[in-house]
Amino acid sequence: EDQVTQSPEALRLQEGESSSLNCSYTVSGLRGLFWYRQDPGKGPEFLFTLYSAGEEKEKERLKATLTKKESFLHITAPKPEDSATYLCAVRDSGYSTLTFGKGTMLLVSP
Amino acid sequence: DAGVIQSPRHEVTEMGQEVTLRCKPISGHDYLFWYRQTMMRGLELLIYFNNNVPIDDSGMPEDRFSAKMPNASFSTLKIQPSEPRDSAVYFCASSFLGVGNTEAFFGQGTRLTVV
């Protein structure tokens, strides 16, 4: 059974204070690891897909990296508008569905 | 494209009543997923369709839940009868699983409260 564990559950940062969110996963065969951002009262918004260990993707202040067991979402010099819940999900080979972690709630204070 | 459209955005109903949630996927997408989100359990897959055909409904919690996809542009999730423990946010998502395209796009969700 696929498992996705995210840590920490919640993270509070000062504006400009860089940090990383962790996503550990267990799958039989990875067909993609996904990062989503979810704002309160809204649906998850797609950020990145990573397919193989060593792959990295960047978008503004966010950079996602992938190893064989975990993924990190690095946030560089965050701003208050980066406050949201960040969700990690995996797709196992042979399946069409995503298994989600419970998310990390990020709060960036000015 | 307007994205995945769900209705209603909010639904408050009394225990025992029938509830129907609606979803219009992104045009051209061949997969449709229904998820439920709670604080305790996070996002859980309920059922998904491929080309309008239900593929896996093992996540549907009870026989009180049913889902249909009569055509490529419309799906419903029905709860009958509803119970307070069904209170959650229900999301519909769609995707087109081609080479290089694997992400799912979510609607804004329906917040269901059963009193």
Side-chain angles (χ1 to χ4, degrees), chain A residues 58-84:
Chain A
E58 289 188 63
K59 180 179 181 179
E60 296 182 354
R61 295 175 293 281
L62 301 177
K63 183 169 80 172
T65 62
L66 181 65
T67 72
K68 289 186 178 180
K69 294 183 178 181
E70 57 191 351
S71 176
F72 292 94
L73 185 65
H74 306 278
I75 303 175
T76 302
K79 297 182 177 182
E81 53 261 43
D82 294 322
S83 298

Side-chain angles (χ1 to χ4, degrees), chain A residues 48-63:
Chain A
F48 304 108
T49 309
L50 302 167
Y51 292 103
S52 57
E55 188 175 359
E56 298 182 353
K57 288 196 176 171
E58 289 188 63
K59 180 179 181 179
E60 296 182 354
R61 295 175 293 281
L62 301 177
K63 183 169 80 172

Side-chain angles (χ1 to χ4, degrees), chain B residues 80-93:
Chain B
Q80 166 62 19
S82 58
E83 296 183 3
R85 59 189 165 135
D86 301 332
S87 297
V89 182
Y90 291 80
F91 287 103
C92 175

Side-chain angles (χ1 to χ4, degrees), chain A residues 1-23:
Chain A
E1 181 181 329
D2 298 345
Q3 289 191 326
V4 181
T5 304
Q6 293 188 245
S7 62
E9 291 185 9
L11 180 63
R12 185 164 189 160
L13 300 173
Q14 290 294 119
E15 185 171 3
E17 180 186 0
S18 301
S19 188
S20 297
L21 312 182
N22 177 264
C23 172

Side-chain angles (χ1 to χ4, degrees), chain A residues 36 38 41 51 91 98 102, chain B residues 9 35 37 40 102 104 108:
Chain A
Y36 285 81
Q38 186 174 22
Y51 292 103
R91 175 172 284 124
L98 299 180
K102 292 187 177 180
Chain B
R9 289 295 312 278
Y35 284 88
Q37 187 175 41
M40 288 294 294
T102 58
Q108 296 285 52

